[in-house]
Amino acid sequence: MKNILVCIFFVFTAYAYAKDSNIAIQEIPVTANPLQVNSNDMVKPTRIIGSKELMQNSSASLGRNLKNIPGVSNSSWGENVGRPVIRGMDGNRIKILNNGLEVNDVSAMSGDHPVGIDTLSASHIEIIKGPA
């Protein structure tokens, strides 16, 4: 019985002590966006190639159409075979989408196969770098 009374005493004393003491905590603002840009502006494509520019650089190879853009080169194995290489990454590291769907062809496995997209009929090409 004595142990129960001692436990109840300690519980009430701890509660009363915690209730009386006010702890002032300094507010620390945490921002994940040091540029102060909203999320829609951060995920913009770095380069959009319109129909005029595609007509001037018309080529059957996607890599040859994009080789004049800084950071993009062409992994060419022939005149009509070329896949874009972005900052040294090629193959499966670069996703090629056609109308929002991934192009699954053998060009990612080997450089001597063309990309399965008709670049001559494209209205525009967007190059998005980063996690977008």
Side-chain angles (χ1 to χ4, degrees), residues 75-98:
S75 66
S76 177
W77 287 62
E79 185 63 30
N80 291 326
V81 180
R83 185 174 169 91
V85 177
I86 299 177
R87 294 183 181 163
M89 290 192 262
D90 62 351
N92 290 331
R93 294 180 178 173
I94 295 178
K95 297 286 182 194
I96 297 177
L97 305 175
N98 187 12

Side-chain angles (χ1 to χ4, degrees), residues 41-61:
D41 292 338
M42 289 183 71
V43 189
K44 284 190 173 178
T46 58
R47 182 73 189 260
I48 298 176
I49 301 170
S51 59
K52 277 187 178 179
E53 200 171 345
L54 283 173
M55 294 281 278
Q56 292 171 352
N57 299 331
S58 64
S59 172
S61 167

Side-chain angles (χ1 to χ4, degrees), residues 14 26 40-41 45 54 61 65 72 77 83 91 95-96 106-107 112 118 130-131:
Q26 180 183 2
N40 290 333
D41 292 338
L54 283 173
S61 167
N65 274 338
V72 180
W77 287 62
R83 185 174 169 91
K95 297 286 182 194
I96 297 177
V106 293
S107 68
D112 59 342
D118 184 18

